[in-house]
Structure formats: C-alpha cells, structure tokens
Amino acid sequence: MREFPSCSSSKAMILNIVVMSTVVMMGSTASGWFLKPDFYKSTCPNVFSTVYSGVKSAIANENRIGASILRLHFHDCFVQGCDASVLLNDTSTFRGEQGALPNGGIRGLNIIDNIKSEVEAICPGVVSCADILTIAARDSVSILGGPTWQVKVGRRDSRTASLAIANATIPLGSSDLPNLIRRFADVGLSTKDMVVLSGAHTIGQARCATFRARIYNETNIDPSFARSRQANCPQTGNQGVGNLAPLDLQTPTRWDNNYYINLLARKGLLHSDQVLYNGASTDSLVESYSKNSKAFNADFVAAMIRMGDITPIVEPSRGEIRKNCRRIN
C-alpha cells in the first residue's frame, strides 16, 4: 500500500486453479483515471475523519479488531487488487472470498459496514467500500502506535468475487519461503515487501488450527515457547482449534518491531513467520528490522502504498460505488 505515482508493466501469472492476468498499475490507468489523496476533496471532504472515528471507536471497544481490519485489507488486495471483493457475500452467481481457506477466522466486516453507513450518511453514493477499507487499514496501524501515511483514494468496488482466486493467491500460515516470495511476486510485490508486510504480525492473534503443526512438529522453535503455546492448543482433534495466541508474544496490541526480535529467538508463531529467519535469503532483512524500528516503519509504509496500488478499479465503467459493502448494487 504505497503512494508512488508510477506505472509498472502488466504481469501474467499462471495459477494452479486459474489463469489470470494481474496488472500492477501503481495507481493509474491508460484511460487517465488515477488514485490521489485528495480525490474526495470536494465530494466528501470529511471521509477521512469519519473513517478514523469509526476505527478508533472499534479499537477502543476491542483492540484486536485493528489487526483484523488490516488483515482484511491485505487479503482483499491479493485477489485481483484492492477492490473490496472480500466484503461481498455469496450469491447465486458466485461464491465469495470469505469462505476461502486463507480467510479462515476473517473478522472486521461489520466494522467496515458501520463505517460505510456513517460515510453514506454524509456523502451518499460517493465513497467506495474499497477506499473505506484501505483508509481503515492505515488508521488501524496508526491508532495502535504505528506510522501513518497519505492514502490515495478513488477506487471503485468490484462487481464480483472469486473463491478460487482467493484460495490460489493469498498466502497461508503454512507457506514456505519460496511460496511466499512467489505469491507476493505474482501481485507485483518484492521479497523485501513480503518481509516488511509480514511485520504486520506485530499485532493480532492466530487460531490454534493455523499454528499447531509448528508448535508440535517443527525443530526451529524455542522449546519453552512451543510448550507455552501447546498448553492452549491441542495437537489433534477439533476441540480447541479456535483457541487464540498472540502473533507477537511481547506486545500483541501495540505496533513495534518485536515481531522480528521474536523471529531471532525462534519464537515466530506461524510457520510462514519463522521461515523468514531460518538460514535463507531473508535473514538479513529480519535482522535489520529487529534493530531498526524506524527503517521497519518507513519500509512498511512504502510497501502498504505499493500494495494499495495493485490493479485499482478506477474507471466508472469497470466498477461501482456499492451502497452496501456486502452486495453489488
């Protein structure tokens, strides 16, 4: 999610389930429509303050929700761009993305619904759900102690969603390093982007089902850390699979660089976390961010802006401004 006004070339990718073309436009299109921070300056000048107020209220009620909103934005952008497709419920013509395996435990949709209602009350039919989710992700990071940045807006909402593409493109907690690198590259993001965006796991929690294979079977894990997580996560069976553990065992509700410090100590909760520091090409980045929180924040902002620029729907003919984020107009 970054804000650099340049265009990158179209990139074709072949997936196991689908064949699709992903174009990373960096916020602009050949038609002349483009994203910009002041897109709503005259049509909805209070959109940013309205979204911020809604996110702040939601986090005050439950601080975990900030991480959930950030995850929602990540998973939206990985499926044909940041177009709010993840918010669409299933219909008779397509199965939505919420039921995809990588979206297990997805949360925060009701918060976006509430904010959308507030925005519609002041600017009916003007601001897209995609923009609201992108702004809310930024505000979640900022409210929890992280950096802030200008969010480019002007996206329109998609008219469809894809369960198949969601399953094929969103990284899993069980992903190995080559798989992570490939999936980020498929949407135009670099290995460095992947490592720094993974740092979002400095906030939030994960379900036992996503990390129990690691805490019982893997060797690149601190033994005492593994035992502490096993106490609330059974090795087999369905009971307890939804039990939660913090992704950052030190400060799970405060934005900082402890995520990387944990990896150095072999205390990454997910397999996809610890593979970033396991004797491979990304070790040096993890070491760097563990020592330099300013560099982490600066690079995170740049990567977030870049991610927010993935395949935007900006032309009116290609998308819509949904009245209700859960269904097309």
Side-chain angles (χ1 to χ4, degrees), residues 5 31 38 42 52 61 63 71 80 87 98 118 124 127 140 151 154 173 177 191 222 228 238 240 252 266-267 284 296:
S31 65
D38 63 351
S42 60
Y52 182 87
N61 185 58
N63 53 25
R71 178 184 184 227
Q80 302 185 106
L87 304 179
Q98 295 168 30
E118 294 294 324
V127 181
S140 295
V151 173
L177 186 59
T191 298
D222 178 82
S228 69
N238 293 324
R266 297 184 301 156
K267 295 180 180 179
S284 59
F296 163 52

Side-chain angles (χ1 to χ4, degrees), residues 88-291:
L88 288 172
N89 292 335
D90 294 352
T91 72
S92 59
T93 58
F94 65 80
R95 289 191 64 190
E97 298 159 21
Q98 295 168 30
L101 180 61
N103 282 332
I106 199 168
R107 309 171 71 246
L109 290 89
N110 61 317
I111 304 302
I112 303 303
D113 291 341
N114 294 341
I115 296 172
K116 173 65 171 176
S117 295
E118 294 294 324
V119 172
E120 284 292 303
I122 60 171
C123 311
V126 173
V127 181
S128 68
C129 299
D131 279 342
I132 289 173
L133 180 54
T134 304
I135 298 166
R138 185 273 309 271
D139 291 343
S140 295
V141 172
S142 175
I143 291 168
L144 291 172
T148 190
W149 59 94
Q150 279 194 321
V151 173
K152 288 185 293 184
V153 289
R155 299 168 187 81
R156 301 183 76 84
D157 298 320
S158 66
R159 296 190 180 100
T160 189
S162 174
L163 178 70
I165 297 176
N167 277 322
T169 60
I170 302 172
L172 289 164
S174 59
S175 297
D176 59 21
L177 186 59
N179 181 270
L180 289 171
I181 292 172
R182 177 179 60 80
R183 293 201 178 199
F184 275 74
D186 283 343
V187 295
L189 297 173
S190 69
T191 298
K192 181 178 180 180
D193 291 330
M194 182 271 291
V195 174
V196 76
L197 290 173
S198 296
H201 285 178
T202 188
I203 54 175
Q205 301 185 61
R207 296 170 298 121
C208 166
T210 64
F211 61 82
R212 67 178 175 184
R214 168 160 167 73
I215 62 174
Y216 284 100
N217 302 326
E218 296 185 8
T219 57
N220 61 340
I221 186 169
D222 178 82
S224 63
F225 172 70
R227 287 192 297 271
S228 69
R229 292 294 165 257
Q230 290 168 5
N232 196 42
C233 181
Q235 185 171 10
T236 59
N238 293 324
Q239 187 173 1
V241 294
N243 291 348
L244 299 172
L247 288 159
D248 173 0
L249 77 162
Q250 299 184 63
T251 52
T253 60
R254 189 179 76 235
W255 187 272
D256 54 32
N257 65 336
N258 278 332
Y259 168 79
Y260 299 103
I261 296 172
N262 294 335
L263 297 185
L264 298 186
R266 297 184 301 156
K267 295 180 180 179
L269 184 65
L270 304 179
H271 177 81
S272 59
D273 292 326
Q274 196 60 57
V275 295
L276 302 183
Y277 191 75
N278 195 38
S281 60
T282 54
D283 283 12
S284 59
L285 282 168
V286 172
E287 291 170 356
S288 175
Y289 293 140
S290 74
K291 299 172 185 175

